[in-house]
Structures are given as C-alpha cells and as structure tokens.
Amino acid sequence: MTGSTAASFTADDYRARMERAARTAAEAGLDGLLVAPGPDLVWLTGYTPPAVTERLTLLVLAAGQDPVLVVPALEAPDARQAAGAPALTLRDWTDGKDPYAATAALLDAAGRFGISDNAWALHLLALQQAVPGSSYTSLTEALPMLRAVKDAAELELMTAAGAAADATFEEIRNVPFAGRREAEVAADLDGLLRRYGHEQVDFTIVASGPNGANPHHEAGGRVIERGDMVVLDFGGLKDGYGSDTSRTVHVGEPTDEERRVHDIVREAQEAGFRAVRPGAACQDVDRAARAVIADAGYGEYFIHRTGHGIGVTTHEPPYMIEGEERPLVPGMCFSVEPGIYLPGRFGVRIEDIVTVTEDGGRRLNTTSRELVIVE
C-alpha cells in the first residue's frame, strides 16, 4: 500500500477505530486484540512496516488502556510517521532484547485475546510461552465484522476504486482479443488499472472459451479465438481500498445459447442486487441470485458463493452464502457475482461491488451488464 491511504485519514480517525475495536473485543468477551502487520494494522493505525520480517511488530489493544505498538527500534522512525501514531504509544525494542517479555507486560496473564489471522506462528508460540495462562482466537473468527461497515470517507474511496475499474473495462473492451493470448489481455488490464490509480493489482482473470468454466482460471498461453466467450475479472487497491468487477464479453457474434446463458446470469445478478437492503440476511442475496439460475435449469453450474466483502482487502467478510444469517447494515460493501460454468465449453460471470444504503443498495460499478461484443 502507498502512503495515500494514511493521508486520507487523521489521527482522530485512527483513534476512533482503535477505541471501537477494543470496545467490540470486550463486548465479545476478549481481554484485548493483538494485531500483526497486515490489513488490520493498516486500517487501525495507518502504518505499514517497511518489510515483513521475523522481528516482532504488534499492536496491543484493550478496553480501558492506551493502544501500544510494539515495534523494532530500527523501524520505529517509520512507525512514528504513520498517520495514526499520535493516537498510540510506541514501545520499541532493540536486537538482543526479548520483545515477547516486553509484550507480555501489556497482557492480562490469564487473558483471552483475538490475534491477526496472518500473525506468524513463531510469534504466537513465543507469546504463549511468555504468558502461559493466556489463550488466543483468530481475529476474523472473533470479530468478523471489524472492518465491514465503511464510514463516509471510506465509501468515497471505495466509489473511486470502482470508477477506476469501470474505466479500465471501458478501455479493455476496445482492445483486440482474437489472436492474442489470455496473458496479453491480462497485462493490458494490469496496465489500465495502474493507469487509473491502482497501486496494487490483485488479479486479472482472462478466461476464454472452455477456460471460462473455471472461476479462478489464471490467464495463460491460450490464444483467444473468434467465437469465444471471455470472462474478465479484475481488481486491486486504489488509495488503499479495493475494486473487483467481472464482465463477460464475446469475440464476434454469440450463439443463441450463449446469449441465453448470459441473460440468465444478468437476471440473477439483478435479483441479487435487488435483495440488498438493511436488515436482510447475507444469505438472502445468495438465495435471490441462485434462485434465478436454478429456475432456469443451471443450478448445478453455479458453483461458488454469490459474494464477498471488500475494503482494505479485495476479499473479506461478510460473505453472501447460504447459512450466513448476519444482517446487512448500511455501509457494508460486498460483491454480487453469480455465474454459470459449463465444463469444457464456456462460463459467464457478472460482478458489481454494492454498498448497503439506508433503504437498499448502491452499485459501485456501473458499466453495462449486457453482453459486450469484442473483436
């Protein structure tokens, strides 16, 4: 991530986030949170370590006490420059000293803590040894909705990321497809996303012909041919916030069946979007989209969830899937992306990022969802 994210928020913003996280942890029965380098640390403090190393960096949050960032001394100058630094206490440690003993002094000896999913086992095991009465649970399991509800400033950044992805699609639909390798078109997508402000590109799926039946196909050496359906799925981070959109294009004129399948997916995507409203369960979005595809006789070919959350990462809770009864709340952002995948033949997926509003939903992707013909 670049420093542009930190520039978008003030120390007070980060202070409020850390206070809310500590309070939510206490409400969940935890004695605190331990946040390792990664998206949670960036979201809570604005700090991205210059490199992820074996040296311990850990944010300690607990209700009723000031946030403390344990950081290697050689990286402390960078940490002090983070936008959220004025809202926390920095505790540095030098090589040769025991960072776990320093961290243990901040922890309840018999406490239960949420810890970042991506924390190194090396650090977790050392903390368990330093505080033998402590116990831990993954942060995503304990507080899955920690980052789910975006404030107005975050929604502005999400909207801008979606617009950049839309601008990328409007250009990619005009490049040559036939006779080029999937990887070449994927490189075009990467370049366009970066031109429109993305500092990080997470994926550029270009799945042509039979490869379209694999939802997570890696763009490769297959030469795209006239008559191919081509699934395009691309996104990344712009100013620290995610984009993710899918459109399916066709090289030359499609068959009646290809048009029919695309129309079914488009109707399913619209049904999923219409199901978005405050208080609805996440699974209601999945049910609405899936029903359209099942009723058309293609239910067995819709093989993934209808959507996933997005924010400072391109995939995060909440998930639009059967069994997820969590209610939708204004400010949540997630994808609505049904698909049909016919093995050995072709696939179709249409995806928008949607945010929940006070009375429904708003799409953050607005490019045409009709079948686009490319050359």
Side-chain angles (χ1 to χ4, degrees), residues 165-183:
D166 284 355
T168 293
F169 177 71
E170 293 295 357
E171 289 213 30
I172 203 70
R173 62 184 290 179
N174 294 316
V175 308
F177 277 73
R180 301 178 69 210
R181 298 184 186 279
E182 292 173 339

Side-chain angles (χ1 to χ4, degrees), residues 4-372:
S4 55
T5 308
S8 302
F9 302 103
T10 68
D12 286 341
D13 292 324
Y14 290 113
R15 180 180 290 107
R17 289 178 185 179
M18 287 188 281
E19 289 175 352
R20 177 158 62 89
R23 183 173 62 252
T24 305
E27 292 168 354
L30 299 175
D31 295 288
L33 302 178
L34 307 178
V35 185
D40 288 321
L41 185 64
V42 176
W43 184 77
L44 287 163
T45 68
Y47 175 54
T48 302
V52 178
T53 72
E54 74 284 357
R55 293 183 174 93
L56 180 71
T57 294
L58 201 66
L59 175 67
V60 180
L61 297 178
Q65 71 181 50
D66 291 338
V68 177
L69 181 63
V70 179
V71 63
L74 76 168
E75 295 173 4
D78 293 303
R80 291 191 183 95
Q81 297 302 311
L88 53 79
T89 298
L90 207 64
R91 181 166 298 183
D92 61 13
W93 60 276
T94 57
D95 286 353
K97 302 295 184 181
D98 184 354
Y100 307 107
T103 305
L106 304 171
L107 306 182
D108 183 330
R112 179 168 175 77
F113 301 94
I115 189 166
S116 299
D117 299 9
N118 57 334
W120 286 23
L122 170 74
H123 299 320
L124 176 57
L125 293 171
L127 282 172
Q128 288 178 318
Q129 186 172 7
V131 192
S134 62
S135 60
Y136 303 85
T137 185
S138 78
L139 199 54
T140 292
E141 181 177 342
L143 302 179
M145 295 294 104
L146 179 63
R147 305 192 313 257
V149 178
K150 277 64 177 177
D151 62 25
E154 290 181 292
L155 287 173
E156 186 176 338
L157 291 169
M158 291 289 300
T159 300
D166 284 355
T168 293
F169 177 71
E170 293 295 357
E171 289 213 30
I172 203 70
R173 62 184 290 179
N174 294 316
V175 308
F177 277 73
R180 301 178 69 210
R181 298 184 186 279
E182 292 173 339
E184 294 178 85
V185 178
D188 289 342
L189 283 169
D190 186 290
L192 287 167
L193 285 168
R194 294 182 190 279
R195 185 198 304 173
Y196 285 107
H198 283 64
E199 70 272 7
Q200 178 177 313
V201 176
D202 287 352
F203 44 88
T204 52
I205 293 173
V206 179
S208 63
N211 289 340
N214 176 2
H216 283 173
H217 171 70
E218 291 282 343
R222 185 181 186 276
V223 175
I224 302 169
E225 303 172 355
R226 292 194 65 80
D228 279 347
M229 202 69 112
V230 184
V231 178
L232 305 174
D233 184 351
F234 51 93
L237 300 181
K238 180 182 184 297
D239 294 332
Y241 280 77
S243 70
D244 185 2
T245 188
S246 300
R247 293 292 185 265
T248 301
V249 301
H250 197 277
V251 187
E253 285 299 315
T255 65
D256 289 345
E257 181 190 21
E258 289 170 330
R259 283 195 180 276
R260 183 172 67 256
V261 170
H262 190 277
D263 284 345
I264 292 166
V265 174
R266 181 170 51 80
E267 291 168 11
Q269 207 268 350
E270 178 66 23
F273 171 69
R274 288 199 306 267
V276 175
R277 63 184 184 280
C282 291
Q283 67 181 4
D284 292 341
V285 179
D286 182 80
R287 287 175 174 177
R290 200 168 298 274
V292 172
I293 292 174
D295 289 349
Y298 289 91
E300 66 182 292
Y301 302 111
F302 180 11
I303 56 177
H304 57 71
R305 64 196 176 203
T306 292
H308 58 81
I310 185 170
V312 294
T313 60
T314 47
H315 287 74
E316 61 188 42
Y319 299 103
M320 307 301 115
I321 186 64
E322 181 67 31
E324 179 51 85
E325 299 179 349
R326 196 178 311 277
L328 301 181
V329 176
M332 282 183 176
C333 295
F334 49 85
S335 66
V336 178
E337 51 176 308
I340 292 175
Y341 308 93
L342 304 178
R345 301 183 63 205
F346 65 90
V348 175
R349 181 164 64 257
I350 301 172
E351 173 185 16
D352 293 326
I353 299 303
V354 173
T355 185
V356 184
T357 64
E358 294 297 332
D359 57 1
R362 174 171 66 91
R363 298 181 194 268
L364 301 188
N365 297 107
T366 59
T367 55
S368 173
R369 286 170 290 281
E370 300 292 332
L371 182 57
V372 169

